[in-house]
Amino acid sequence: MSRALLKSRAHRHPIAILGLAMMLGSCQTLSSDASPDDPFASAPPITRGLDARGLSTLLEAELAGQRGDYRRASRGYLESAERYGAADLAERAALAARFDENSDLLEHAAQRWQHLAPDDTAPVRLLASLAAQRGDWDTALARHLDLIERNGAEELVPFLESALESGAPPASLLARLRDFSPTPSSRHDVELATALLEAANGLTASAQDRLARLADAMPGLPGLWRIRAAVSLDTGAPRQAETMARRGLEHTPGDPRLILLLAQAEIRQGNTQAAEANTDALLEDHGDSPDLRLALAQLYLEEGHTGPARRLLLPLTDNETPSSTAYLMLGAIAEQEGEIDNALLYYRQVPEGENFLAARANAARMLFEHDRPSDARTFLRIERLRHPDDAPGLYSLEVELLDESGARQQADALLNQAVEAHPESHQLRYQRAMRAFRHGDIAAMERDLRILIEQDSENANALNALGYTLADENIDGRLDEARRLIERAHAIAPDNPAILDSMGWVRYRQGNPEAALPWLERAWASMPDQEVAAHLIEVLWQLGHHDRARELLQQAHQRFASHPRIDALLDRLPELAQ
């Protein structure tokens, strides 16, 4: 971000240095007993006025911002904002922190800005955005509801659609929204958002009833017919979805999302000709862009119609810069049609960069699945020669395929060869360490992880893997070492849920389940997998929270098809299942 941009944005709230002096400066009264050599010797200390320190801090912040040192600028503005209670300075601190891309500093500045300007909605919007960026959807929704209470004009549906697309758990969002009392001006939008969350929670009957009432009360509500069409598709009613999409187009003609839903409904009814007419209209009306063609092709592929998808994708191969995604999708279509050599040709045309390894993985896996392992290995060997910068990733892929086919000795030999050829590759060494762990060779795992940590002292994954293994294996006399390793990993990646789990588990192994619990709860909230669940259940049980432990056990059995760590826990604590 340019210095000029910071400077121009700063003038939106022109608190110049002299202005601050006039607004905030405290006149100091001189004592009549002061020494003529030092007239300020007996003056009271300045605590709020623009003294030398305050002036220096502001000048340093201004100069730092103009030099592009936005972190220092933000901290200087924030210090001044806190000292003088000036919301405009907190806003400038937030602006500088945004340019620095420092999310922690930005949140701190936004919180101070909100505190100093409680009636301003801008810091609330910023805090909502930050919460969404870190995946704290519950807090983000709370911020949006706060905005609704303030001004009543806040669209929830786009925010919630983004949250659901990003994997936000809908149950807690729905509970919070149902407890909210909307303002009269926001009632319909909140109702629509509630219906969206009900559908996402599987409460389709309730969602459809709510949507029907909204259609009677306010048929022109933005998003209403699109959500009705999407819910109808999700419940296996494509004819009804088609009707809803057409009703929506009456209110918002040309809406591309409604046209896509209409096309999808027609595809599901087997009317591909009408669907292609609609997708052709989209391309004509909204620009024949590669991204739109890719999205439409994906739509057909999801419904199993490869012909229309291929027709949409083929023109993209004639571009001066062909789309790697188009080649990847064309390869998948050819593979699905049984055209193995044609698929291989498409996969090989994906250039280095995005989709490169995915294309080679698809090609090699396809050859393995068609009983052509030697062809797959020859293909990968040639690709390593053609693309030496991607050789470690290609080696790693071949090792995985050999493991999947049961050729462990060949995989071992190849991985050793790869590490010898690329000793600087963290990926290959970490892969070898994890394979050693899976095969019970803890010493070999530790050797490779130690080398990784020597090569890169900031490798949080290696630090955590070694620390967690020492803790999980409960190796005598090494729990303190395990904790130091995990804490180093946490200092590097404080929000990594796997590391949060390790932080809790090592404390439990050290005999402190009370200290372990909050770490494991944070890990479970961020990464609900069966291993974290097993750790949390065990700690809850040991602390006497038996009802919560059994409730989580039931959730885990419902959520995870495979749960070996939970099964092992039940073997050790059979009373959990009683």
Side-chain angles (χ1 to χ4, degrees):
M1 201 66 68
S2 71
R3 290 179 239 170
L5 182 55
L6 176 63
K7 189 174 180 181
S8 65
R9 288 294 303 274
H11 286 301
R12 287 178 52 219
H13 298 275
I15 300 185
I17 301 304
L18 290 177
L20 271 173
M22 294 176 64
M23 181 177 72
L24 300 168
S26 301
C27 294
Q28 303 301 318
T29 302
L30 302 182
S31 168
S32 59
D33 298 329
S35 164
D37 296 329
D38 183 4
F40 293 98
S42 61
I46 298 173
T47 57
R48 291 188 54 80
L50 193 61
D51 61 350
R53 177 184 168 189
L55 180 60
S56 172
T57 301
L58 279 173
L59 285 172
E60 286 177 3
E62 288 284 340
L63 293 172
Q66 294 193 26
R67 290 196 306 270
D69 187 352
Y70 300 120
R71 185 168 305 184
R72 187 172 182 180
S74 178
R75 287 173 175 160
Y77 287 133
L78 191 56
E79 180 181 334
S80 297
E82 290 175 346
R83 179 170 188 179
Y84 300 121
D88 286 4
L89 288 174
E91 180 181 2
R92 291 171 76 171
L95 178 65
R98 176 178 283 171
F99 291 162
D100 187 56
E101 300 181 356
N102 185 321
S103 58
D104 291 338
L105 185 58
L106 177 56
E107 182 150 17
H108 182 43
Q111 288 170 343
R112 173 52 55 181
W113 180 10
Q114 183 191 22
H115 175 75
L116 294 171
D119 296 328
D120 193 343
T121 60
V124 183
R125 293 184 189 282
L126 179 54
L127 288 167
S129 175
L130 290 170
Q133 287 174 27
R134 66 173 182 269
D136 186 356
W137 298 106
D138 197 60
T139 298
L141 176 56
R143 298 286 187 187
H144 279 282
L145 296 179
D146 183 22
L147 288 168
I148 289 176
E149 288 182 330
R150 289 165 180 260
N151 57 29
E154 184 73 17
E155 290 189 2
L156 279 176
V157 169
F159 159 70
L160 289 173
E161 286 178 325
S162 174
L164 293 172
E165 187 177 344
S166 300
S172 62
L173 298 179
L174 178 59
R176 179 176 286 276
L177 198 55
R178 281 177 165 173
D179 290 339
F180 178 68
S181 299
T183 62
S185 62
S186 66
R187 181 168 58 85
H188 290 122
D189 186 65
V190 171
E191 282 283 298
L192 184 59
T194 303
L196 174 68
L197 290 176
E198 286 175 337
N201 275 281
L203 305 172
T204 52
S206 177
Q208 287 174 324
D209 288 345
R210 196 180 299 273
L211 291 167
R213 292 194 300 271
L214 279 171
D216 291 337
M218 197 174 183
L221 183 65
L224 169 64
W225 298 102
R226 174 169 48 80
I227 292 175
R228 294 194 79 182
V231 171
S232 296
L233 275 176
D234 289 342
T235 56
R239 187 181 298 277
Q240 186 181 39
E242 180 185 352
T243 301
M244 300 301 176
R246 292 190 186 281
R247 285 289 304 276
L249 287 168
E250 292 174 6
H251 292 278
T252 53
D255 185 327
R257 292 176 296 178
L258 283 167
I259 295 174
L260 277 174
L261 284 165
L262 178 59
Q264 195 171 1
E266 289 167 336
I267 292 170
R268 290 195 182 177
Q269 294 176 81
N271 193 356
T272 55
Q273 186 174 1
E276 286 191 80
N278 278 311
T279 52
D280 287 345
L282 267 179
L283 289 169
E284 183 175 346
D285 294 342
H286 294 276
D288 192 349
S289 69
D291 287 344
L292 183 55
R293 280 188 173 269
L294 290 170
L296 293 171
Q298 185 62 40
L299 177 69
Y300 282 104
L301 287 178
E302 288 172 357
E303 302 298 335
H305 295 280
T306 56
R310 194 198 298 259
R311 285 192 289 275
L312 283 163
L313 293 169
L314 282 172
L316 297 180
T317 63
D318 295 331
N319 292 349
E320 290 184 8
T321 55
S323 165
S324 65
T325 305
Y327 278 122
L328 187 66
M329 293 172 72
L330 284 165
I333 291 170
E335 183 179 348
Q336 187 174 337
E337 298 293 331
E339 305 168 3
I340 304 305
D341 291 327
N342 196 22
L344 187 61
L345 184 62
Y346 280 126
Y347 287 139
R348 289 192 66 174
Q349 291 184 79
V350 174
E352 290 181 331
E354 185 181 14
N355 296 320
F356 174 84
L357 285 175
R360 273 65 188 175
N362 285 359
R365 186 164 279 109
M366 173 185 68
L367 293 172
F368 263 91
E369 289 173 355
H370 285 81
D371 297 323
R372 297 169 57 180
S374 61
D375 289 346
R377 299 196 67 184
T378 299
F379 163 72
L380 291 173
R381 185 167 59 253
I382 292 171
E383 290 299 285
R384 287 197 292 270
L385 294 173
R386 291 178 63 212
H387 305 280
D389 290 344
D390 290 292
L394 294 166
Y395 270 121
S396 178
L397 169 61
E398 188 173 348
V399 170
E400 288 179 9
L401 291 170
L402 289 169
D403 270 338
E404 290 172 10
S405 67
R408 178 185 164 186
Q409 289 184 337
Q410 289 178 298
D412 286 340
L414 181 65
L415 186 52
N416 289 335
Q417 173 191 334
V419 172
E420 185 176 346
H422 300 275
E424 77 293 344
S425 170
H426 296 172
Q427 175 187 5
L428 290 170
R429 197 172 291 279
Y430 188 81
Q431 183 179 20
R432 189 167 72 175
M434 293 303 98
R435 288 181 81 253
F437 171 75
R438 286 196 299 272
H439 298 308
D441 192 346
I442 303 299
M445 181 207 76
E446 183 170 355
R447 280 195 301 273
D448 271 327
L449 290 179
R450 292 286 183 193
I451 293 172
L452 264 180
I453 294 167
E454 287 175 9
Q455 291 176 338
D456 178 13
S457 61
E458 298 291 298
N459 192 319
N461 287 333
L463 288 163
N464 182 60
L466 181 54
Y468 174 77
T469 302
L470 295 176
D472 194 49
E473 296 292 320
N474 213 5
I475 297 175
D476 188 40
R478 303 193 69 183
L479 286 178
D480 289 342
E481 178 188 4
R483 180 163 172 168
R484 287 194 297 272
L485 289 163
I486 294 167
E487 287 178 343
R488 282 175 61 191
H490 179 256
I492 297 164
D495 297 323
N496 184 310
I499 297 174
L500 296 176
D501 175 61
S502 300
M503 290 282 283
W505 195 236
V506 72
R507 283 161 173 75
Y508 176 67
R509 288 298 203 200
Q510 289 179 315
N512 193 347
E514 292 88 353
L517 183 59
W519 292 104
L520 295 175
E521 286 178 329
R522 283 181 60 195
W524 172 251
S526 301
M527 184 181 70
D529 78 353
Q530 63 95 26
E531 186 167 358
V532 178
H535 291 162
L536 182 53
I537 291 167
E538 182 168 349
V539 169
L540 287 169
W541 186 264
Q542 295 300 335
L543 288 171
H545 304 312
H546 294 172
D547 290 342
R548 281 189 63 198
R550 288 192 173 111
E551 181 183 348
L552 182 56
L553 176 65
Q554 184 178 10
Q555 289 179 22
H557 275 134
Q558 292 172 350
R559 176 176 289 191
F560 307 116
S562 174
H563 36 69
R565 294 298 295 253
I566 292 172
D567 293 339
L569 176 61
L570 286 172
D571 288 340
R572 290 188 290 107
L573 298 173
E575 59 270 26
L576 256 170
Q578 295 174 3

